[in-house]
Every structure is written in structure tokens, then in C-alpha cells.
Amino acid sequence: NAGVTQTPKFQVLKTGQSMTLQCAQDMNHNSMYWYRQDPGMGLRLIYYSASEGTTDKGEVPNGYNVSRLNKREFSLRLESAAPSQTSVYFCASIMTALNTEAFFGQGTRLTVV
Amino acid sequence: QKEVEQNSGPLSVPEGAIASLNCTYSDRVSQSFFWYRQYSGKSPELIMSIYSNGDKEDGRFTAQLNKASQYVSLLIRDSQPSDSATYLCAVNSPGSARQLTFGSGTQLTVLP
């Protein structure tokens, strides 16, 4: 009963390095989301995917790219990391059209130095 | 205007008191509403969902929905220090591509 699995849990990058955050869900959900959360603040939407093959920008997409590889997987890529991208990242998924709750991954704590 | 608005707080209440958290939303066709609790450093976890006007009670928690006023609230009775967390309001609008929108959260501290 995995739910939403995010990897890695922790990562330290140097400015300019690239990395991909992985997210996979095993609940056959249609929609998937990437959020970032900074200290004392709420969730801010980076990108979302309403269905396999589609992706859309959220509130704070600059500096990020995403791929909805298949229905299960939704990855977030930082091409050239910046200190401003130091944050906690959460992946979430939801079954659309059924008004069900969102399920979250355990989060990735990213530090860019 | 933000799609989902919450008072950012922080909100402090003494142990045993009622904590009242409020949320307003802008999309009139929104159909389902959720309250998540998030402890520091952890993922949000669902504590209440509500779909129709009125009150829904679950233990010490009561969610209230008023679609005409586009308002949803969460009451926590007999507040405990373990209730200290950030509470996130989420609104599901099936007609929108994004589907799910979160408020910025209200930080609650229950003082012993």
C-alpha cells in the first residue's frame, strides 16, 4: 500500500547543478501535482498534470520543468539549481471527477548551496 | 483575489478552548472541500472533508460549509497541544483543469 512515493527524501546541490525529483503513485489517479513549501508558508503550486500526456504551469514554474512519463509517474527537474530553490517539495495525486482527497508523498528537502 | 483564502495567523488558543479556522473560495462551482493538518516537516494529512451545506462532525472536529457565502470553516473543540499545526483548506473544482487548490494555511498553536 505505497500510495505516493517521492525520491529522494533529502538532497544537497551546488548552484548550477541539475537534478530530477521522482514521484510515482499506485492509485490509478489522473491528476498529479508538484508543490514547494518554504518555511512558514503554505503550498505553492509549481506544475500540475491533469492527465497523462498533459502538463500545465502553476503559480511558481520558473526554473522547473516536468514530465508526465505515464499515468503513474510525474517528475520535476531543476536544470540549473539556484539557492532560491531551497525548499521542501511535495508531490500529490488525486482521482479527478470523484471529489476525493489528495494524497501526498513524504516530501523532498532540497538545499542549494 | 486568491482562489482560496485563509487567515494566515498565527492563531493561539488555550488548551481546552475552541479553535476556529476560516476559509473562503472564489469558484462558485466548487464541489468538495477539505481540511488538511500539517505538522512541521511533515506531509499534509486529511482530517475532514465536506461536500454539502451544513455541519459535519468527526470527534472533536466540525467542518461547516456555506456554499452561498463561499465559506468553509473548521472548529476544533477541546483543543490540545497536539493540535498545534498548520491547517490547510483545499477546494476541489471539477470544472477547472487544476482541480484542487490549496489555501496558504493557518498556523495554530494550542497553549498548555
Side-chain angles (χ1 to χ4, degrees), chain A residues 37-90:
Chain A
Q37 188 172 41
D38 300 304
M41 297 183 68
L43 299 169
R44 291 192 291 170
L45 183 64
I46 305 171
Y47 271 93
Y48 65 100
S49 171
S51 61
E52 182 180 355
T54 67
T55 61
D56 287 283
K57 296 179 180 179
E59 303 165 276
V60 289
N62 291 343
Y64 305 94
N65 285 300
V66 290
S67 295
R68 184 73 182 269
L69 304 171
N70 47 55
K71 194 171 186 179
R72 290 186 65 249
E73 299 171 291
F74 188 39
S75 62
L76 178 71
R77 183 161 178 84
L78 287 70
E79 291 290 352
S80 179
S84 61
Q85 294 177 304
T86 293
S87 189
V88 179
Y89 292 84
F90 289 102

Short mmCIF file of all heavy atoms in Angstrom, two decimals, chain A residues 37-90:
data_model
loop_
_atom_site.label_atom_id
_atom_site.label_comp_id
_atom_site.label_asym_id
_atom_site.label_seq_id
_atom_site.Cartn_x
_atom_site.Cartn_y
_atom_site.Cartn_z
N GLN A 37 7.20 24.22 -0.62
CA GLN A 37 6.78 24.85 0.63
C GLN A 37 7.99 25.44 1.32
O GLN A 37 8.93 24.72 1.66
CB GLN A 37 6.07 23.86 1.55
CG GLN A 37 5.45 24.51 2.78
CD GLN A 37 4.60 23.52 3.55
OE1 GLN A 37 4.97 22.37 3.72
NE2 GLN A 37 3.43 23.98 4.03
N ASP A 38 7.96 26.73 1.53
CA ASP A 38 9.04 27.43 2.20
C ASP A 38 8.66 27.66 3.65
O ASP A 38 7.47 27.64 4.00
CB ASP A 38 9.33 28.73 1.46
CG ASP A 38 9.74 28.46 0.03
OD1 ASP A 38 10.71 27.70 -0.17
OD2 ASP A 38 9.09 28.96 -0.90
N PRO A 39 9.66 27.88 4.51
CA PRO A 39 9.39 27.99 5.95
C PRO A 39 8.29 28.98 6.27
O PRO A 39 8.31 30.12 5.80
CB PRO A 39 10.74 28.44 6.51
CG PRO A 39 11.75 27.89 5.56
CD PRO A 39 11.10 27.97 4.21
N GLY A 40 7.30 28.53 7.05
CA GLY A 40 6.22 29.41 7.49
C GLY A 40 5.21 29.74 6.42
O GLY A 40 4.33 30.58 6.65
N MET A 41 5.32 29.08 5.29
CA MET A 41 4.41 29.39 4.19
C MET A 41 3.62 28.16 3.79
O MET A 41 3.95 27.03 4.15
CB MET A 41 5.20 29.92 2.99
CG MET A 41 5.94 31.22 3.29
SD MET A 41 6.78 31.87 1.85
CE MET A 41 5.41 32.32 0.81
N GLY A 42 2.56 28.41 3.01
CA GLY A 42 1.74 27.33 2.53
C GLY A 42 2.32 26.66 1.30
O GLY A 42 3.47 26.93 0.90
N LEU A 43 1.53 25.81 0.71
CA LEU A 43 1.94 25.10 -0.51
C LEU A 43 1.79 26.03 -1.71
O LEU A 43 0.76 26.66 -1.88
CB LEU A 43 1.07 23.87 -0.72
CG LEU A 43 1.11 22.82 0.38
CD1 LEU A 43 0.00 21.79 0.16
CD2 LEU A 43 2.46 22.13 0.40
N ARG A 44 2.81 26.06 -2.52
CA ARG A 44 2.74 26.83 -3.77
C ARG A 44 2.88 25.86 -4.94
O ARG A 44 3.82 25.08 -5.01
CB ARG A 44 3.81 27.92 -3.82
CG ARG A 44 3.57 29.05 -2.82
CD ARG A 44 4.48 30.23 -3.08
NE ARG A 44 5.88 29.91 -2.79
CZ ARG A 44 6.90 30.70 -3.12
NH1 ARG A 44 6.69 31.82 -3.79
NH2 ARG A 44 8.12 30.35 -2.79
N LEU A 45 1.95 25.94 -5.86
CA LEU A 45 1.91 25.00 -6.97
C LEU A 45 2.94 25.36 -8.03
O LEU A 45 2.96 26.48 -8.54
CB LEU A 45 0.50 24.99 -7.58
CG LEU A 45 0.26 24.02 -8.72
CD1 LEU A 45 0.42 22.58 -8.23
CD2 LEU A 45 -1.13 24.23 -9.31
N ILE A 46 3.78 24.39 -8.37
CA ILE A 46 4.81 24.60 -9.39
C ILE A 46 4.26 24.21 -10.77
O ILE A 46 4.22 25.02 -11.69
CB ILE A 46 6.07 23.78 -9.07
CG1 ILE A 46 6.58 24.08 -7.67
CG2 ILE A 46 7.16 24.06 -10.10
CD1 ILE A 46 7.69 23.15 -7.21
N TYR A 47 3.87 22.96 -10.89
CA TYR A 47 3.29 22.42 -12.11
C TYR A 47 2.25 21.38 -11.71
O TYR A 47 2.31 20.81 -10.64
CB TYR A 47 4.35 21.72 -12.97
CG TYR A 47 5.06 22.59 -13.97
CD1 TYR A 47 6.27 23.20 -13.63
CD2 TYR A 47 4.57 22.77 -15.25
CE1 TYR A 47 6.95 24.00 -14.56
CE2 TYR A 47 5.24 23.55 -16.18
CZ TYR A 47 6.43 24.17 -15.83
OH TYR A 47 7.10 24.93 -16.74
N TYR A 48 1.33 21.13 -12.63
CA TYR A 48 0.40 20.04 -12.42
C TYR A 48 0.15 19.33 -13.75
O TYR A 48 0.43 19.89 -14.83
CB TYR A 48 -0.91 20.53 -11.79
CG TYR A 48 -1.74 21.46 -12.66
CD1 TYR A 48 -2.83 20.99 -13.37
CD2 TYR A 48 -1.44 22.82 -12.72
CE1 TYR A 48 -3.60 21.84 -14.14
CE2 TYR A 48 -2.19 23.68 -13.49
CZ TYR A 48 -3.28 23.20 -14.20
OH TYR A 48 -4.03 24.04 -14.97
N SER A 49 -0.41 18.14 -13.63
CA SER A 49 -0.74 17.33 -14.79
C SER A 49 -2.14 16.78 -14.58
O SER A 49 -2.34 15.96 -13.69
CB SER A 49 0.27 16.20 -14.96
OG SER A 49 -0.16 15.30 -15.96
N ALA A 50 -3.08 17.27 -15.37
CA ALA A 50 -4.47 16.85 -15.21
C ALA A 50 -4.71 15.43 -15.72
O ALA A 50 -5.66 14.76 -15.31
CB ALA A 50 -5.40 17.83 -15.90
N SER A 51 -3.85 14.99 -16.63
CA SER A 51 -3.99 13.63 -17.15
C SER A 51 -2.67 13.26 -17.82
O SER A 51 -1.81 14.12 -18.07
CB SER A 51 -5.14 13.55 -18.15
OG SER A 51 -4.91 14.40 -19.25
N GLU A 52 -2.53 11.99 -18.11
CA GLU A 52 -1.32 11.52 -18.78
C GLU A 52 -1.13 12.28 -20.09
O GLU A 52 -2.07 12.43 -20.87
CB GLU A 52 -1.47 10.03 -19.05
CG GLU A 52 -0.26 9.40 -19.69
CD GLU A 52 -0.46 7.92 -19.93
OE1 GLU A 52 -1.51 7.38 -19.49
OE2 GLU A 52 0.41 7.29 -20.55
N GLY A 53 0.06 12.78 -20.30
CA GLY A 53 0.38 13.48 -21.52
C GLY A 53 0.16 14.97 -21.50
O GLY A 53 0.48 15.67 -22.46
N THR A 54 -0.39 15.49 -20.39
CA THR A 54 -0.61 16.94 -20.29
C THR A 54 0.06 17.48 -19.04
O THR A 54 0.08 16.83 -18.00
CB THR A 54 -2.11 17.28 -20.22
OG1 THR A 54 -2.64 16.80 -18.98
CG2 THR A 54 -2.87 16.69 -21.37
N THR A 55 0.64 18.68 -19.18
CA THR A 55 1.20 19.38 -18.03
C THR A 55 0.89 20.86 -18.17
O THR A 55 0.77 21.38 -19.30
CB THR A 55 2.73 19.19 -17.92
OG1 THR A 55 3.35 19.73 -19.10
CG2 THR A 55 3.10 17.73 -17.77
N ASP A 56 0.75 21.53 -17.03
CA ASP A 56 0.46 22.95 -17.03
C ASP A 56 1.20 23.65 -15.91
O ASP A 56 1.46 23.04 -14.86
CB ASP A 56 -1.05 23.20 -16.86
CG ASP A 56 -1.83 22.85 -18.09
OD1 ASP A 56 -1.80 23.65 -19.04
OD2 ASP A 56 -2.44 21.77 -18.11
N LYS A 57 1.49 24.92 -16.14
CA LYS A 57 2.19 25.71 -15.13
C LYS A 57 1.25 26.07 -13.98
O LYS A 57 0.07 26.30 -14.17
CB LYS A 57 2.74 26.99 -15.76
CG LYS A 57 3.79 26.75 -16.82
CD LYS A 57 4.27 28.07 -17.42
CE LYS A 57 5.32 27.82 -18.49
NZ LYS A 57 5.79 29.10 -19.09
N GLY A 58 1.85 26.10 -12.80
CA GLY A 58 1.14 26.59 -11.63
C GLY A 58 1.55 28.01 -11.33
O GLY A 58 1.80 28.81 -12.23
N GLU A 59 1.67 28.32 -10.03
CA GLU A 59 1.98 29.68 -9.61
C GLU A 59 3.46 30.05 -9.74
O GLU A 59 3.79 31.20 -9.99
CB GLU A 59 1.58 29.86 -8.14
CG GLU A 59 0.13 29.57 -7.83
CD GLU A 59 -0.08 29.41 -6.33
OE1 GLU A 59 0.14 28.29 -5.81
OE2 GLU A 59 -0.44 30.40 -5.69
N VAL A 60 4.34 29.07 -9.55
CA VAL A 60 5.78 29.36 -9.50
C VAL A 60 6.56 28.40 -10.37
O VAL A 60 7.42 27.64 -9.90
CB VAL A 60 6.28 29.33 -8.02
CG1 VAL A 60 5.76 30.51 -7.25
CG2 VAL A 60 5.88 28.02 -7.34
N PRO A 61 6.38 28.42 -11.70
CA PRO A 61 7.02 27.43 -12.57
C PRO A 61 8.45 27.75 -13.00
O PRO A 61 9.16 26.87 -13.49
CB PRO A 61 6.10 27.44 -13.79
CG PRO A 61 5.62 28.86 -13.86
CD PRO A 61 5.44 29.28 -12.42
N ASN A 62 8.87 29.01 -12.81
CA ASN A 62 10.18 29.40 -13.34
C ASN A 62 11.31 28.61 -12.71
O ASN A 62 11.41 28.50 -11.49
CB ASN A 62 10.40 30.90 -13.13
CG ASN A 62 9.47 31.74 -13.98
OD1 ASN A 62 8.89 31.24 -14.94
ND2 ASN A 62 9.32 33.00 -13.63
N GLY A 63 12.18 28.08 -13.57
CA GLY A 63 13.33 27.31 -13.10
C GLY A 63 13.07 25.81 -13.01
O GLY A 63 13.97 25.06 -12.62
N TYR A 64 11.86 25.40 -13.38
CA TYR A 64 11.48 24.00 -13.28
C TYR A 64 10.92 23.50 -14.61
O TYR A 64 10.36 24.26 -15.38
CB TYR A 64 10.41 23.79 -12.21
CG TYR A 64 10.75 24.30 -10.84
CD1 TYR A 64 10.36 25.58 -10.43
CD2 TYR A 64 11.46 23.51 -9.94
CE1 TYR A 64 10.67 26.06 -9.18
CE2 TYR A 64 11.78 23.99 -8.67
CZ TYR A 64 11.37 25.26 -8.30
OH TYR A 64 11.68 25.73 -7.05
N ASN A 65 11.07 22.19 -14.81
CA ASN A 65 10.38 21.50 -15.89
C ASN A 65 9.80 20.21 -15.33
O ASN A 65 10.28 19.69 -14.33
CB ASN A 65 11.33 21.18 -17.04
CG ASN A 65 11.67 22.42 -17.85
OD1 ASN A 65 10.79 23.06 -18.42
ND2 ASN A 65 12.95 22.75 -17.92
N VAL A 66 8.77 19.71 -16.01
CA VAL A 66 8.14 18.48 -15.54
C VAL A 66 7.93 17.52 -16.71
O VAL A 66 7.92 17.94 -17.87
CB VAL A 66 6.78 18.73 -14.85
CG1 VAL A 66 6.95 19.43 -13.52
CG2 VAL A 66 5.84 19.50 -15.77
N SER A 67 7.75 16.25 -16.35
CA SER A 67 7.41 15.22 -17.34
C SER A 67 6.39 14.29 -16.72
O SER A 67 6.60 13.79 -15.61
CB SER A 67 8.65 14.42 -17.73
OG SER A 67 9.59 15.23 -18.40
N ARG A 68 5.30 14.10 -17.44
CA ARG A 68 4.34 13.08 -17.02
C ARG A 68 4.64 11.86 -17.88
O ARG A 68 4.12 11.70 -18.99
CB ARG A 68 2.90 13.56 -17.24
CG ARG A 68 1.85 12.57 -16.73
CD ARG A 68 1.77 12.55 -15.24
NE ARG A 68 0.82 11.58 -14.73
CZ ARG A 68 -0.47 11.84 -14.48
NH1 ARG A 68 -0.97 13.04 -14.71
NH2 ARG A 68 -1.25 10.89 -14.00
N LEU A 69 5.50 11.02 -17.37
CA LEU A 69 6.06 9.92 -18.15
C LEU A 69 4.98 8.90 -18.51
O LEU A 69 5.00 8.31 -19.59
CB LEU A 69 7.17 9.25 -17.34
CG LEU A 69 8.29 10.22 -16.90
CD1 LEU A 69 9.24 9.51 -15.93
CD2 LEU A 69 9.05 10.73 -18.11
N ASN A 70 4.09 8.68 -17.61
CA ASN A 70 2.96 7.77 -17.81
C ASN A 70 1.94 8.11 -16.73
O ASN A 70 2.11 9.11 -16.02
CB ASN A 70 3.42 6.31 -17.72
CG ASN A 70 4.31 6.08 -16.52
OD1 ASN A 70 3.92 6.39 -15.39
ND2 ASN A 70 5.52 5.58 -16.76
N LYS A 71 0.93 7.31 -16.57
CA LYS A 71 -0.10 7.68 -15.60
C LYS A 71 0.45 7.66 -14.18
O LYS A 71 0.01 8.40 -13.31
CB LYS A 71 -1.30 6.75 -15.73
CG LYS A 71 -2.52 7.27 -15.00
CD LYS A 71 -3.75 6.45 -15.32
CE LYS A 71 -4.98 7.09 -14.68
NZ LYS A 71 -6.21 6.34 -15.00
N ARG A 72 1.41 6.81 -13.91
CA ARG A 72 1.93 6.63 -12.56
C ARG A 72 2.94 7.69 -12.16
O ARG A 72 3.04 8.04 -10.99
CB ARG A 72 2.62 5.26 -12.44
CG ARG A 72 1.72 4.06 -12.48
CD ARG A 72 2.54 2.81 -12.20
NE ARG A 72 3.08 2.80 -10.85
CZ ARG A 72 4.37 2.92 -10.54
NH1 ARG A 72 5.27 3.08 -11.49
NH2 ARG A 72 4.77 2.88 -9.28
N GLU A 73 3.74 8.17 -13.11
CA GLU A 73 4.93 8.93 -12.75
C GLU A 73 4.89 10.37 -13.23
O GLU A 73 4.48 10.67 -14.36
CB GLU A 73 6.17 8.25 -13.33
CG GLU A 73 6.38 6.84 -12.80
CD GLU A 73 7.49 6.13 -13.56
OE1 GLU A 73 7.29 5.81 -14.75
OE2 GLU A 73 8.54 5.89 -12.94
N PHE A 74 5.36 11.27 -12.35
CA PHE A 74 5.38 12.70 -12.66
C PHE A 74 6.67 13.24 -12.05
O PHE A 74 6.81 13.30 -10.83
CB PHE A 74 4.15 13.37 -12.05
CG PHE A 74 3.94 14.80 -12.43
CD1 PHE A 74 4.20 15.26 -13.71
CD2 PHE A 74 3.44 15.70 -11.49
CE1 PHE A 74 3.98 16.58 -14.06
CE2 PHE A 74 3.21 17.03 -11.83
CZ PHE A 74 3.47 17.47 -13.12
N SER A 75 7.62 13.62 -12.89
CA SER A 75 8.92 14.05 -12.38
C SER A 75 9.09 15.56 -12.50
O SER A 75 8.50 16.20 -13.37
CB SER A 75 10.04 13.33 -13.12
OG SER A 75 9.99 13.65 -14.50
N LEU A 76 9.90 16.09 -11.61
CA LEU A 76 10.19 17.53 -11.57
C LEU A 76 11.69 17.71 -11.75
O LEU A 76 12.48 17.12 -11.01
CB LEU A 76 9.76 18.12 -10.23
CG LEU A 76 10.04 19.61 -10.00
CD1 LEU A 76 9.12 20.46 -10.86
CD2 LEU A 76 9.88 19.97 -8.53
N ARG A 77 12.09 18.52 -12.71
CA ARG A 77 13.51 18.71 -12.99
C ARG A 77 13.94 20.14 -12.75
O ARG A 77 13.26 21.09 -13.17
CB ARG A 77 13.83 18.30 -14.43
CG ARG A 77 15.31 18.41 -14.76
CD ARG A 77 15.70 17.60 -15.95
NE ARG A 77 17.12 17.76 -16.27
CZ ARG A 77 18.10 17.07 -15.69
NH1 ARG A 77 17.82 16.16 -14.76
NH2 ARG A 77 19.35 17.26 -16.05
N LEU A 78 15.06 20.28 -12.07
CA LEU A 78 15.73 21.55 -11.92
C LEU A 78 16.94 21.52 -12.83
O LEU A 78 17.86 20.73 -12.63
CB LEU A 78 16.19 21.77 -10.47
CG LEU A 78 15.13 22.09 -9.42
CD1 LEU A 78 14.25 20.87 -9.11
CD2 LEU A 78 15.78 22.60 -8.15
N GLU A 79 16.96 22.32 -13.86
CA GLU A 79 18.03 22.28 -14.85
C GLU A 79 19.31 22.94 -14.34
O GLU A 79 20.41 22.47 -14.59
CB GLU A 79 17.60 22.96 -16.14
CG GLU A 79 16.52 22.22 -16.92
CD GLU A 79 17.04 20.92 -17.54
OE1 GLU A 79 18.27 20.66 -17.52
OE2 GLU A 79 16.21 20.14 -18.07
N SER A 80 19.15 24.03 -13.62
CA SER A 80 20.31 24.76 -13.09
C SER A 80 19.90 25.33 -11.73
O SER A 80 19.33 26.42 -11.65
CB SER A 80 20.72 25.88 -14.05
OG SER A 80 21.83 26.59 -13.53
N ALA A 81 20.18 24.56 -10.70
CA ALA A 81 19.66 24.90 -9.37
C ALA A 81 20.20 26.23 -8.87
O ALA A 81 21.36 26.59 -9.09
CB ALA A 81 20.01 23.78 -8.39
N ALA A 82 19.32 26.95 -8.17
CA ALA A 82 19.67 28.23 -7.57
C ALA A 82 19.33 28.20 -6.08
O ALA A 82 18.41 27.46 -5.68
CB ALA A 82 18.90 29.36 -8.25
N PRO A 83 20.03 28.97 -5.26
CA PRO A 83 19.72 28.99 -3.81
C PRO A 83 18.24 29.29 -3.52
O PRO A 83 17.70 28.80 -2.52
CB PRO A 83 20.65 30.07 -3.27
CG PRO A 83 21.82 30.04 -4.20
CD PRO A 83 21.23 29.77 -5.57
N SER A 84 17.58 30.06 -4.40
CA SER A 84 16.17 30.38 -4.20
C SER A 84 15.27 29.15 -4.33
O SER A 84 14.08 29.21 -3.96
CB SER A 84 15.72 31.44 -5.20
OG SER A 84 15.87 30.97 -6.53
N GLN A 85 15.82 28.06 -4.85
CA GLN A 85 15.04 26.83 -4.97
C GLN A 85 15.20 25.91 -3.76
O GLN A 85 14.64 24.81 -3.74
CB GLN A 85 15.41 26.10 -6.26
CG GLN A 85 15.01 26.89 -7.50
CD GLN A 85 15.43 26.22 -8.80
OE1 GLN A 85 16.61 25.91 -9.00
NE2 GLN A 85 14.47 25.98 -9.67
N THR A 86 15.93 26.37 -2.76
CA THR A 86 15.98 25.66 -1.49
C THR A 86 14.59 25.65 -0.89
O THR A 86 13.99 26.71 -0.67
CB THR A 86 16.98 26.34 -0.54
OG1 THR A 86 18.29 26.21 -1.07
CG2 THR A 86 16.91 25.71 0.85
N SER A 87 14.06 24.46 -0.65
CA SER A 87 12.67 24.36 -0.21
C SER A 87 12.37 22.90 0.10
O SER A 87 13.21 22.02 -0.08
CB SER A 87 11.74 24.87 -1.32
OG SER A 87 10.39 24.97 -0.88
N VAL A 88 11.15 22.66 0.55
CA VAL A 88 10.63 21.30 0.67
C VAL A 88 9.63 21.10 -0.47
O VAL A 88 8.72 21.93 -0.65
CB VAL A 88 9.96 21.05 2.03
CG1 VAL A 88 9.43 19.62 2.09
CG2 VAL A 88 10.95 21.29 3.16
N TYR A 89 9.81 20.03 -1.21
CA TYR A 89 8.96 19.76 -2.36
C TYR A 89 8.03 18.59 -2.06
O TYR A 89 8.45 17.56 -1.54
CB TYR A 89 9.83 19.44 -3.58
CG TYR A 89 10.61 20.64 -4.05
CD1 TYR A 89 11.82 20.99 -3.47
CD2 TYR A 89 10.11 21.45 -5.08
CE1 TYR A 89 12.53 22.11 -3.88
CE2 TYR A 89 10.82 22.56 -5.50
CZ TYR A 89 12.02 22.90 -4.89
OH TYR A 89 12.71 24.01 -5.31
N PHE A 90 6.76 18.77 -2.41
CA PHE A 90 5.77 17.72 -2.22
C PHE A 90 5.12 17.38 -3.55
O PHE A 90 4.75 18.27 -4.33
CB PHE A 90 4.68 18.17 -1.26
CG PHE A 90 5.12 18.28 0.17
CD1 PHE A 90 5.38 19.52 0.73
CD2 PHE A 90 5.25 17.15 0.96
CE1 PHE A 90 5.78 19.64 2.05
CE2 PHE A 90 5.64 17.25 2.29
CZ PHE A 90 5.92 18.50 2.82
#
